Amino acid sequence: MYLYLGGDLAIEDRSIIGVFDLDNTSWSHLTRGYLSQAEKAGSIKTAADDIPRSFVVCADKTIVLTQPTAATLARRLNIQEKSNVRI
């Protein structure tokens, strides 16, 4: 199954390592450092037209900044697992 992240980007749900809320995680210097290193390495993709609210870490070491909240993305994943509905 695929998870729609916004814009024209959808990723396979098997490749998701984690979904994180930017407001709750970006206060940590470790998260800011991680995101900064990923940006320097060119590993960050943006699926948000506006200010991103969450980020998704993928198995291929890419990070996707998204507009939907982490809770919304988690609900989408949960719906897919329970009913095999593609979103």
Side-chain angles (χ1 to χ4, degrees), residues 28-55:
S28 169
H29 71 282
L30 296 174
T31 304
R32 286 192 311 268
Y34 174 69
L35 292 173
S36 177
Q37 285 180 338
E39 185 176 23
K40 289 176 187 174
S43 300
I44 293 187
K45 295 180 182 178
T46 302
D49 294 331
D50 203 1
I51 298 171
R53 295 182 184 159
S54 61
F55 65 97

Side-chain angles (χ1 to χ4, degrees), residues 16 19 24 39 53 60 70 74 82:
I16 297 173
V19 178
N24 292 331
E39 185 176 23
R53 295 182 184 159
D60 63 356
K82 288 186 178 180

Side-chain angles (χ1 to χ4, degrees), residues 19-28 31-32 35 48 50-56 63-70:
V19 178
F20 303 92
D21 183 83
L22 272 172
D23 288 338
N24 292 331
T25 58
S26 62
W27 63 268
S28 169
T31 304
R32 286 192 311 268
L35 292 173
D50 203 1
I51 298 171
R53 295 182 184 159
S54 61
F55 65 97
V56 178
I63 298 171
V64 182
L65 300 175
T66 66
Q67 181 65 36
T69 63

